[in-house]
Amino acid sequence: MGVLEGKVGVILGVANERSIAWGIAQTLHKEGAQLVMTYAGEIMEKRVRPLAESLGAKLILPCDVTSDEQIARLFESIGSTFGGLDLVVHSLAFANRDELKGRYLDTSREGFRLALDVSAYSLVAVTRAAAPLMRGRRGSVVTLSYYGAEKVIPQYNVMGVAKAALEASVRYLAADLGPDGIRVNAISAGPIKTLAAAGIAQFRDMLHQAEQRAPMRRTITLEDVGGAALFLCSDWSAGVTGEVLHVDCGYHVMGA
Ligand code: NAD
Ligand code: 0WE
């Protein structure tokens, strides 16, 4: 029997079969979770629906996280279909492409607002909407971060600042929701070739550098992230909250 048998989870952030969210979805499904999947806009729906259906998802709903209304509707539907919720996987981020090049110094006011809204505030909005459905069910919320929150990664720019806000939000949300038995954690994943990484200048070099420098001498896989998410979603991590778990083949421990 799967370790997540009887649990209901919602996964935000599947775009295609390379998405980190998709790697997590497959692992959670294999361990018995019933999944709800969301997509951001009609173009994404075409890609996400067949993937979600292949895992037997009962609900496949739109959720652009910049819309409070779409967030509210998502959790209303989950409440009326399942009567509660155990797991939330938040695996999304966005910044304007022109903010992910050049200097952080040149970040525009609107570029900063958009990146922090989609990539950091959305965790707060989604968690607040999910919490009433999680009461008394040992809920778990997991989000995805990156090392650029902690150290300067050239060109990551405003996304690094958004991830720093995301990781701080994980701690504050953990403190707010701990009394309700709801845990909130982040996975800080190493670089992996997804849609969000496509077109990033020198991304290949970054993968190569991670491979050279990481203690494990390889980059991470979707299965690596899926396994860590499974731990954080399952009751085996019942004493873990407010944590940022690095899934980076050890890259972050190296000093030189
Ligand atoms: P991806 O492109 O597959 O996923 C990003 C998702 O964000 C997409 O599904 C997209 O639809 C969604 N999204 C963007 N704007 C949205 C909005 N307004 N509302 C709802 N959804 C929206 O790429 P990925 O690499 O799987 O990214 C998932 C998460 O992992 C992100 O938080 C990213 O920062 C993080 N991450 C990625 C890497 C990497 O190297 N790929 C490393 C560490 C962390
Ligand atoms: O979090 C990310 C990527 C997030 C992302 C990617 C894009 C590309 C397409 C956010 N917004 C957009 N907007 C787009 O228009 N990663 C951790 C992957 C990543 O992105 C980088 C990296 C790494 C690693 C950007 C610059 C430097 C390194």
Side-chain angles (χ1 to χ4, degrees), residues 93-95 97 100 146 153-156 159 163 196 200 203 206:
F94 188 78
R97 188 171 281 281
L100 300 175
Y146 177 59
I153 306 289
Q155 329 283 336
Y156 198 58
M159 271 308 308
K163 291 302 193 188
I200 302 292
F203 192 77
M206 296 200 49

Side-chain angles (χ1 to χ4, degrees), residues 13-15 19-20 40 44 63-66 91-94 118 144-146 156 163 189-192 194-196 203:
V14 176
S19 294
I20 291 175
M44 285 295 174
C63 187
D64 179 328
V65 295
T66 61
S91 180
L92 55 92
F94 188 78
V118 174
L144 268 295
S145 191
Y146 177 59
Y156 198 58
K163 291 302 193 188
I192 181 164
T194 62
L195 191 61
F203 192 77

Side-chain angles (χ1 to χ4, degrees), residues 22-42:
W22 178 242
I24 294 171
Q26 288 178 94
T27 304
L28 302 193
H29 171 75
K30 205 185 298 169
E31 290 297 328
Q34 271 198 286
L35 299 180
V36 175
M37 261 176 253
T38 69
Y39 54 85
E42 277 168 38

Side-chain angles (χ1 to χ4, degrees), residues 166-224:
L166 180 74
E167 292 185 8
S169 294
V170 163
R171 294 185 281 273
Y172 279 90
L173 292 170
D176 284 343
L177 295 173
D180 298 321
I182 300 169
R183 299 181 296 109
V184 185
N185 293 288
I187 291 170
S188 182
I192 181 164
K193 206 173 165 204
T194 62
L195 191 61
I200 302 292
Q202 275 108 49
F203 192 77
R204 274 173 50 117
D205 298 341
M206 296 200 49
L207 286 174
H208 188 68
Q209 205 218 352
E211 219 166 76
Q212 309 274 301
R213 265 187 64 167
M216 298 182 74
R217 301 288 189 274
R218 65 172 181 85
T219 56
I220 61 151
T221 63
L222 289 183
E223 291 70 34
D224 292 332

Side-chain angles (χ1 to χ4, degrees), residues 147 153 206 209-211 213-215 248-255:
Y147 194 50
I153 306 289
M206 296 200 49
Q209 205 218 352
E211 219 166 76
R213 265 187 64 167
D248 63 353
C249 295
Y251 186 86
H252 73 288
V253 308
M254 300 304 292

